[in-house]
Every structure is written in structure tokens, then in C-alpha cells.
Amino acid sequence: MKLHPIWQEYPDLQPELAKTLDLMENSVKLKNKPVEIAVMEMVHAGGKLLRPAYQLLFSRFGPDQDREKAVALAASIEMLHTATLIHDDIVDEANLRRNLPTIAARFGNDVAVYAGDYLFVCCFKLLADYAGSLRSLQLNSRSMEKILNGELGQMDRRYDLTMTVDQYLENISGKTAELFALSCTVGPLESGASEKFAKECAQIGLNIGIAFQIIDDILDYSQDATAIGKPVLEDVRQGVYSLPLLLALEKGRSELTPFLQKKDAMTTADSQAVYRLVQQYDGVARAHQMATRYTDKALKAIRKLPADAADTRGELEQLTLRILGRKN
């Protein structure tokens, strides 16, 4: 299985990420071939493996190094992440994921539901086989609950023109950031680090995850105007109001509201108007500022990690700067 090109710059991490992918593939064994094919296609779909990478890097902090266990836990986290993506695509009625047809679009919702469910099973089987204590199982269970609450919060606030920035941050803290926090927690905890240190690592992951989601949302409003129809039209028409739009509403509510009130009847021309207004009222610029603040919090904490693991600390800083779009 081929790794994403980003990992060519991390030769120490590459072999373990390759083993993570291999373990994911070897964990999928189903009698029902349509579901097995669907699961394998998602595993092979070319994700960056960011969450497993953070888990592997943070697992280097701790006195009890077990790289086989670290790889297994990395695979479990990626399987959990992949399961949530499959179910998200069903709810969102999405046709594409990573420029490929979604499992639901190709095989139908029934196969997609079972594929996602099976990956949850694979995740917990790996945890049961490799986790050193019930603590990791507890953390995964609580993370799943927080992820679900974030998704439900987003669903509950569809088309909600009174939605606040704090409510948005609460949703993405569960929906996206929680899995980054889990990735940064389980590694050191299973390597024998203290609970206090693991919680500090979790906060790093939470800040990375919040910044990551904000930047992802910014991309919908940062493309060339000729390319904006699909992402902006889909999100806004589905009533998913992300940070750039919420910030623009603070200044340009009277102009934006007539378009947003059309809900799923919005046209491409309407979405282009929303795009321009979000730019005009500094929604993108202000969202960038917020993403930078969360990025800086994460980097500040990474730079305070133990000095005797300077190489790992440097890799974490470099990776975080890269995925969050910062050069220094």
C-alpha cells in the first residue's frame, strides 16, 4: 500500500505508517464480499494518516516503548476515523470523498452503514488485543461520544442563523478535534507516561484539531471564484454554517440573510454571492486569525515537551506547521 507523499519528509515515521496500513488491511476479513470490498476501498483511498502519525510520535514519550503496540493503536485510531467518515457521507448524501465515489454512492447506504460499523468493530478488536489497560478503551469510548455529540450539534443547528462562534467551536471540538486529542493522548499513556502528561498532550491535539477544521472550512471560501460552486453551495445549502460565514454574518447579516433563507433552493449564483460577501466582510481573514491562535497554542506547548526527546519534538513541530499551513 502506498503512503501519501507527505511522509517522504519523515523517514523515521514512514516504516511505522506503512505497518499501520498493512495492519488495517489484514484486520479486514469478512464473509460478505460487498462490505469487505467497500471497507478495503476506503482503507486504500489515500488518506494522509495524520491522526496515526500523531499517535505514533506521541507514543515516543514514555518509559515503556512498544512499537508493535503503537502501530496497532495507530491503526485502531485510523479505523475509527474512517468509520466516522463513511457515516458522515451517508448523512451528508455526499457523492465524493478524496476525489473518489463514496461507499454510499457506489454500493448504497446499507453497505456503507455496515462498512462503517465493521470498522468500529475492528477498532475495538485492536484495542482489546493491544491496549495495556482499560483506560485506553475508556478514552476511545468517550471520544466516540464526543464525536457523536459534535455531529449532533452540527445537525441540530442546520440553517440556524442565530448560531454563534462559540457553538461552532463546541461542535468542531467534538466533530474533528476530539480525534486529534485522542491520538495525542493514547500514545504517551500506553507508553507509561503519567496521566497528567497525557492530558497535556490531549490539549495539544485539541488545539491542532480545532485549527485543522477551521482551515478546512476556510478552503471553501478561499478558492478562485470560478471553482467555488460545489463546496460552498453544498455546505451552505445543507445549512452547515462554518466559521468564515459566521464571522461575516456579524458584519453583513442584512445582506447575507436573504441568500441563506433560501436554504437548499440556493442557486450557484447565490453561492457565489455568499462567497463574495464572506470575503467582503472579512470572514476569511478573521477565521485565519483564529486558526493562527490555535496553531500557536499547539506549537507553544509542543516546544515545551521533554528536551530529551528533541528529535520527536522537532518532528511534531514540523508536521504541525505543515498541515496547518504555517511556514514559521
Side-chain angles (χ1 to χ4, degrees):
M1 295 175 69
K2 192 174 181 181
L3 290 174
H4 192 280
I6 187 177
W7 302 118
Q8 292 175 6
E9 298 177 23
Y10 302 86
D12 292 342
L13 201 53
Q14 253 187 322
E16 289 189 337
L17 285 172
K19 289 179 182 177
T20 299
L21 279 177
D22 288 341
L23 183 55
M24 289 171 64
E25 182 175 359
N26 293 333
S27 297
V28 178
K29 298 187 185 302
L30 279 164
K31 291 181 181 179
N32 185 297
K33 291 307 166 185
V35 177
E36 183 176 270
I37 291 168
V39 171
M40 290 306 299
E41 288 199 352
M42 196 66 180
V43 169
H44 285 273
K48 290 189 179 71
L49 301 180
L50 293 175
R51 294 150 193 85
Y54 275 105
Q55 194 279 332
L56 290 165
L57 287 169
F58 273 96
S59 70
R60 297 178 188 174
F61 296 100
D64 305 325
Q65 293 292 312
D66 184 338
R67 302 319 299 167
E68 183 183 357
K69 180 200 286 190
V71 166
L73 295 176
S76 75
I77 284 172
E78 185 63 12
M79 284 180 152
L80 174 57
H81 172 55
T82 306
T84 64
L85 295 182
I86 293 171
H87 286 172
D88 282 354
D89 289 339
I90 297 168
V91 173
D92 295 341
E93 299 180 358
N95 292 318
L96 291 175
R97 164 76 63 180
R98 297 167 181 161
N99 294 318
L100 296 171
T102 62
I103 290 179
R106 183 166 178 186
F107 298 99
N109 284 348
D110 51 351
V111 170
V113 168
Y114 292 133
D117 289 349
Y118 181 71
L119 283 170
F120 283 127
V121 172
C122 290
C123 165
F124 279 96
K125 280 173 65 179
L126 285 171
L127 282 170
D129 288 343
Y130 287 93
S133 70
L134 286 176
R135 184 68 178 126
S136 291
L137 286 167
Q138 291 171 340
L139 286 170
N140 273 267
S141 299
R142 289 172 186 171
S143 290
M144 286 179 65
E145 181 181 15
K146 290 177 182 178
I147 291 166
L148 176 60
N149 283 332
E151 294 284 2
L152 289 172
Q154 179 176 287
M155 184 180 72
D156 289 343
R157 295 191 174 99
R158 286 181 187 257
Y159 302 112
D160 184 358
L161 288 167
T162 67
M163 182 178 173
T164 65
V165 170
D166 285 344
Q167 288 169 333
Y168 162 85
L169 291 172
E170 181 183 357
N171 287 345
I172 69 169
S173 291
K175 178 175 174 284
T176 302
E178 178 58 31
L179 205 46
F180 277 95
L182 178 67
S183 301
C184 298
T185 309
V186 170
L189 201 60
E190 285 289 335
S191 295
S194 69
E195 186 99 13
K196 179 177 179 293
F197 179 75
K199 286 181 180 178
E200 292 170 357
C201 296
Q203 191 60 48
I204 293 173
L206 194 70
N207 286 324
I208 289 170
I210 291 173
F212 184 85
Q213 185 60 57
I214 292 172
I215 290 167
D216 194 56
D217 290 338
I218 287 170
L219 292 177
D220 287 349
Y221 295 93
S222 302
Q223 303 172 69
D224 183 82
T226 59
I228 64 151
K230 181 173 180 290
V232 177
L233 184 63
E234 285 186 358
D235 279 352
V236 177
R237 282 179 64 183
Q238 291 176 1
V240 178
Y241 300 157
S242 59
L243 186 61
L245 177 59
L246 295 174
L247 293 171
L249 276 167
E250 293 178 357
K251 296 181 179 181
R253 183 171 296 274
S254 62
E255 292 177 70
L256 282 161
T257 297
F259 296 109
L260 300 179
Q261 286 177 331
K262 294 182 181 183
K263 298 184 177 180
D264 59 0
M266 283 180 63
T267 65
T268 300
D270 292 332
S271 72
Q272 289 172 343
V274 169
Y275 174 91
R276 289 191 295 271
L277 288 167
V278 168
Q279 297 282 348
Q280 179 181 330
Y281 287 107
D282 298 325
V284 170
R286 293 174 65 202
H288 265 299
Q289 291 171 0
M290 284 190 67
T292 298
R293 287 202 295 272
Y294 283 101
T295 302
D296 288 344
K297 285 181 184 179
L299 290 170
K300 184 177 179 181
I302 286 170
R303 289 164 186 153
K304 291 181 179 178
L305 289 170
D308 58 357
D311 289 345
T312 299
R313 191 173 61 186
E315 284 188 87
L316 282 167
E317 182 175 353
Q318 181 187 356
L319 177 60
T320 302
L321 284 166
R322 171 151 189 175
I323 69 167
L324 300 183
R326 297 282 306 284
K327 295 180 180 178
N328 51 50

